[in-house]
Amino acid sequence: MSFSFIFLGSGTSHGVPIIAKEYPLEFLANPKNHRTRPSIYVATDQIKLVVDTSPEFRIQMLREQIPWLDAVLFTHSHADHIMGLDDCRRFCDLRGGKPFPIYANEPTMKDLRRVFAYAFAATPPLPKHYFVPEPNLISGPFNLGDLEITPLPLPHGSMGTLGFLFSQQGRKRLAYLSDCKEVPAPIVEELRGVEVAVLDALRRTPHPTHMCLDEALTAARRIGAARTLFTHLTHDYDHDAAQAELPSGVELAYDGLRVNWET
């Protein structure tokens, strides 16, 4: 029974480095300080999926040599999480021209329909290489392959967002909470016993819609996962120096980081 995930991107909405800013050469020399926009790839023996399609989605997929996807799950509709969706056209081709499954709650799906109106309006048969989505509304827990996926509503400014809990044969494998100002108490309880938690830890100083480092550390202690990884990171974090400051069991994610189970 396998389960694995890869950080396709671990950066904030700007990415790191950001446009029009100079950085110390030592900072740029560390590949872990080069962060594309946030997304993960989750794989088991039965299902391959991504959470969000960042603006660098094509580059991320090529970098990790991922040849197949069964679905995309969306947390919310901010640009850094959706703008790579059209690159899923390749997976329509690989499916023999069939629509590609996407999963989102109603507000996010409404925005996806607006931004990618041309794709949602298309009707088969279609010319080769066109992207056609198969929309699936998230209204509660659902199953894909051997995974039970529980959506977790989280505060993220006026929009809100979804985190996801991935369980496999009763084991809480992964909680992915990439964009949130806090983890509400009922969700903390829902996540008790999770093996790995991925949490938003935007920067060192407070932010109105994201957890800062201290808030993320507090959430990590409350959840109590065996391993916690921080994502959606700005250039506040010089990876190696910042990692050395973190407590045992807490790590900064980086692009290309792989986490695997084989049990």
Side-chain angles (χ1 to χ4, degrees):
M1 184 173 65
S2 69
F3 183 96
S4 65
F5 71 97
I6 303 171
F7 284 92
L8 299 179
S10 60
T12 182
S13 57
H14 284 280
V16 181
I18 68 171
I19 295 170
K21 179 175 174 59
E22 293 187 4
Y23 293 85
L25 292 178
E26 295 81 6
F27 182 94
L28 296 175
N30 188 344
K32 293 178 181 178
N33 287 332
H34 292 256
R35 304 175 178 117
T36 56
R37 268 64 73 92
S39 176
I40 59 167
Y41 166 76
V42 176
T44 75
D45 292 334
Q46 297 185 26
I47 192 75
K48 321 292 181 191
L49 61 87
V50 294
V51 179
D52 294 332
T53 53
S54 81
E56 295 95 353
F57 178 73
R58 172 182 165 273
I59 295 169
Q60 294 167 341
M61 297 293 282
L62 290 171
R63 184 193 72 214
E64 300 303 329
Q65 301 181 39
I66 295 170
W68 179 263
L69 282 181
D70 295 295
V72 173
L73 281 56
F74 285 101
T75 59
H76 64 305
S77 59
H78 281 161
D80 52 325
H81 295 262
I82 70 169
M83 294 310 293
L85 178 57
D86 188 77
D87 287 329
C88 288
R89 63 174 66 188
R90 176 59 178 150
F91 298 108
C92 290
D93 287 350
L94 294 173
R95 295 166 68 86
K98 296 179 181 178
F100 182 73
I102 64 172
Y103 292 77
N105 64 13
E106 189 169 0
T108 299
M109 193 70 75
K110 181 180 179 181
D111 287 344
L112 291 171
R113 288 182 179 276
R114 174 177 53 82
V115 174
F116 299 98
Y118 63 91
F120 282 88
T123 56
L126 298 162
K128 193 175 181 182
H129 308 313
Y130 274 52
F131 171 60
V132 184
E134 177 196 289
N136 298 271
L137 284 178
I138 297 175
S139 58
F142 59 101
N143 292 288
L144 289 175
D146 55 347
L147 294 178
E148 180 182 350
I149 302 169
T150 303
L152 306 169
L154 299 167
H156 184 50
S158 60
M159 174 175 286
T161 187
L162 289 182
F164 294 104
L165 171 62
F166 297 92
S167 300
Q168 185 184 42
Q169 295 188 12
R171 293 179 62 177
K172 297 178 180 180
R173 296 291 204 177
L174 169 66
Y176 184 71
L177 286 64
S178 71
D179 289 56
C180 58
K181 177 57 181 171
E182 65 174 336
V183 182
I187 292 177
V188 171
E189 291 304 315
E190 178 78 23
L191 299 183
R192 295 290 184 201
V194 71
E195 295 171 6
V196 177
V198 175
L199 303 178
D200 181 358
L202 184 74
R203 64 190 191 190
R204 294 180 182 273
T205 57
H207 186 276
T209 64
H210 292 266
M211 289 193 291
C212 67
L213 178 59
D214 284 347
E215 291 165 332
L217 286 168
T218 297
R221 288 194 298 270
R222 289 173 175 165
I223 293 168
R227 185 179 185 185
T228 298
L229 295 149
F230 290 162
T231 192
H232 213 295
L233 307 174
T234 70
H235 55 212
D236 268 18
Y237 301 99
D238 187 339
H239 185 278
D240 292 351
Q243 179 61 59
E245 300 171 355
L246 294 178
S248 176
V250 179
E251 305 164 53
L252 296 180
Y254 56 87
D255 289 23
L257 174 61
R258 298 169 180 245
V259 180
N260 300 282
W261 291 258
E262 290 293 343
T263 56

